[in-house]
Amino acid sequence: MKIPAFNMVNQNGEAITEQNLRGQRTILYFYPRDNTPTCTTQAIDFTGHLTELRAKNIQVLGVNGDSMKKHQNFINKHHIGFDLLVDEDYQLAKELGIYRQKKVFGKESMGIVRTTLLIGPDLTIEKRIDDVKVKNQLEVLFAE
């Protein structure tokens, strides 16, 4: 399956489409909210591995429904080293089945379920991990 066409902006208002993923592998991860404990841990973990990922020609992009301003604040506060995309209406998350009913602390609501995609240079989704556990996300992503 290929990644669906999309058109989002990053934290700086720059348009990013699926064509920006072409030619290299991409970790495209969906997370619920900026500046929450688990989401912060996840972004910091990816940032800590950026040098080795970039050496393998892999870029990282995070996606959620937060605004450009929230993304900018999150990046600056935690020194996140990659772009965060604004899926304000959850269009891509919905197309991929990532925006759905979930239960948090016993309360049911609609939202992004933490999911990581590994996308190939030809835009094919090579691997998908639903309900990601942040502590070993990269090991699971690259396990054979």
Side-chain angles (χ1 to χ4, degrees):
M1 174 182 166
K2 291 207 183 263
I3 189 78
F6 66 83
N7 189 352
M8 291 184 271
V9 295
N10 67 8
Q11 69 280 353
N12 300 318
E14 300 162 338
I16 305 291
T17 72
E18 74 284 353
Q19 294 306 315
N20 292 95
L21 312 186
R22 191 173 289 286
Q24 64 183 320
R25 293 172 91 194
T26 302
I27 294 171
L28 186 68
Y29 80 98
F30 293 77
Y31 64 104
R33 302 206 46 88
D34 292 341
N35 285 307
T36 58
T38 305
C39 296
T40 300
T41 299
Q42 185 177 28
I44 289 171
D45 184 53
F46 278 129
T47 297
H49 289 91
L50 278 179
T51 301
E52 68 188 73
L53 291 169
R54 287 179 177 154
K56 297 176 183 176
N57 199 29
I58 300 171
Q59 68 177 333
V60 177
L61 296 170
V63 182
N64 76 11
D66 287 338
S67 68
M68 287 184 339
K69 184 170 178 53
K70 284 186 178 180
H71 282 343
Q72 287 171 346
N73 291 340
F74 185 48
I75 286 170
N76 292 335
K77 182 177 181 180
H78 299 288
H79 309 289
I80 307 304
F82 50 86
D83 285 347
L84 301 176
L85 307 183
V86 178
D87 191 7
E88 217 163 27
D89 58 3
Y90 301 104
Q91 180 183 342
L92 184 59
K94 287 175 182 174
E95 283 187 59
L96 292 167
I98 293 167
Y99 184 86
R100 60 183 189 256
Q101 188 80 23
K102 62 183 192 171
K103 190 181 277 192
V104 180
F105 302 116
K107 182 181 175 188
E108 288 189 3
S109 64
M110 293 298 290
I112 287 180
V113 175
R114 193 178 310 280
T115 304
T116 300
L117 307 176
L118 181 61
I119 301 168
D122 63 352
L123 305 182
T124 299
I125 299 173
E126 295 178 352
K127 192 159 192 181
R128 176 179 173 146
I129 305 168
D130 292 297
D131 299 311
V132 170
K133 304 296 180 241
V134 172
K135 288 188 181 196
N136 65 345
Q137 64 185 345
L138 287 171
E139 291 86 355
V140 171
L141 190 62
F142 292 108
E144 296 300 321

